[in-house]
Amino acid sequence: MNLESVLFTQGFGSRRQCRARIADGRVTIEGTVCVDPDADVPTEALTFTVDGIVWPYREHAYLLLNKPAGYECSREPQHHLSVFSLLPPQFAARGVQCVGRLDQDTTGLLLLSDEGKFVHAFTSPKRKVPKVYLATTRHPLDDLQLDALRHGVLLHGEPKPIAAVSANARDEHTLELTVLEGKYHQVKRMVAAAGNRVEALHRERIGGLALPPTLAEGGWQWLDEADLGVLRKG
Ligand code: URA
């Protein structure tokens, strides 16, 4: 692939901007400045730098973000900041989208990608991927509420009750809830239907992929092949 296309596909602006960046000597390949936008560069295991920042070449971007509260999962947020403001601008430029949405006040594991098939597969209602949430509840949890969540609660506008895969109290006010669907405000609505109220919500896991404990709030990382394999297995 020529160097201009490498930068273009990785989100470094228009083709003209990419050519100019290269010609200005801002791009290195394996430690050497390359000023030729037409230079042929093998993309296999390629890393390059732009203005000193190291970038791996990836045909598709698959990312994980530790979402803080107060950010919307939208490129055009209405009332809060966008989760994209936590990421390098190259990702939005190459069409990265959120894989499903978390509410602005929900924290934790958020996946993002620019591969349409991946985004679709994980947001399709047919794809039942278990998602593990930790909900801090206003009122103490009790067995009646946990049983209601396990057996199914009827949410407004839904034709039949929705049951959690599991519902356990980690402590009096901390509910660990696993659900398969990704309906609008699902956890908050389920907890409300069971007679309690969510005060804070955190997503800990999607399928076999857990939020890395070392990743700070607001931090992001690339998903590697092992992560993707774990996710695809569900
Ligand atoms: N359920 C909710 O209520 N909110 C989220 O952000 C995710 C799941």
Side-chain angles (χ1 to χ4, degrees), residues 53-100:
I53 298 173
V54 181
W55 283 89
Y57 172 87
R58 299 272 163 106
E59 185 184 350
H60 288 295
Y62 306 97
L63 313 173
L64 174 162
L65 174 73
N66 184 357
K67 181 190 172 297
Y71 288 81
E72 288 181 31
C73 290
S74 162
R75 269 194 239 168
E76 276 144 33
Q78 304 282 306
H79 304 292
H80 301 86
L81 295 168
S82 163
V83 289
F84 287 93
S85 66
L86 298 164
L87 300 170
Q90 285 76 12
F91 291 127
R94 64 186 279 182
V96 164
Q97 307 170 42
C98 297
V99 179

Side-chain angles (χ1 to χ4, degrees), residues 101-103 106 133 183-189 201:
R101 289 182 175 215
L102 292 176
D103 299 336
T106 301
Y133 291 91
K183 296 187 185 293
Y184 183 64
H185 291 334
Q186 181 170 340
V187 173
K188 292 174 186 165
R189 289 159 71 210
L201 187 59

Side-chain angles (χ1 to χ4, degrees), residues 33 109 143 209:
V33 175
L109 176 56
D143 288 341
L209 186 73

